[in-house]
Amino acid sequence: MKEKSYTELMKIAAMKRNRMKENFVQDLYIDMLLSEIQLTVEKEKLMRKIDLAIDRRDKKSFLHLSSKLKEINKKFGT
């Protein structure tokens, strides 16, 4: 079995660290994308419910749903 030199071992270790950093960043992007999709879907559902409450002239539901939408927008800065 051929032993690797110190330089080769250091290069291998550096490459592993770089791969780990790249994987971390990629995982972070994926997490952000999934969160954005989830937020968008939830907001769309609320908007449909708000529209339905308006169509039915249901003030109580409208106010409740609108406050939930405001909370989401405030929480996520949108």
Side-chain angles (χ1 to χ4, degrees), residues 6-17:
Y6 177 77
T7 306
E8 289 174 319
L9 291 174
M10 293 307 293
K11 284 181 183 179
I12 291 170
M15 288 172 48
K16 284 182 183 178
R17 282 193 302 272

Side-chain angles (χ1 to χ4, degrees), residues 12-64:
I12 291 170
M15 288 172 48
K16 284 182 183 178
R17 282 193 302 272
N18 283 341
R19 264 186 271 144
M20 288 176 62
K21 287 178 188 176
E22 289 172 3
N23 287 342
F24 173 76
V25 171
Q26 187 178 27
D27 289 346
L28 187 61
Y29 283 141
I30 290 169
D31 188 48
M32 289 170 57
L33 179 63
L34 291 175
S35 294
E36 182 70 24
I37 291 168
Q38 185 179 17
L39 174 65
T40 302
V41 168
E42 189 168 340
K43 286 174 71 174
E44 287 174 358
K45 283 181 184 178
L46 270 174
M47 291 300 295
R48 281 196 297 273
K49 289 180 181 180
I50 288 171
D51 289 344
L52 186 59
I54 291 171
D55 291 343
R56 292 181 178 171
R57 300 181 189 270
D58 185 352
K59 185 176 180 178
K60 184 179 175 183
S61 293
F62 171 78
L63 293 174
H64 174 71

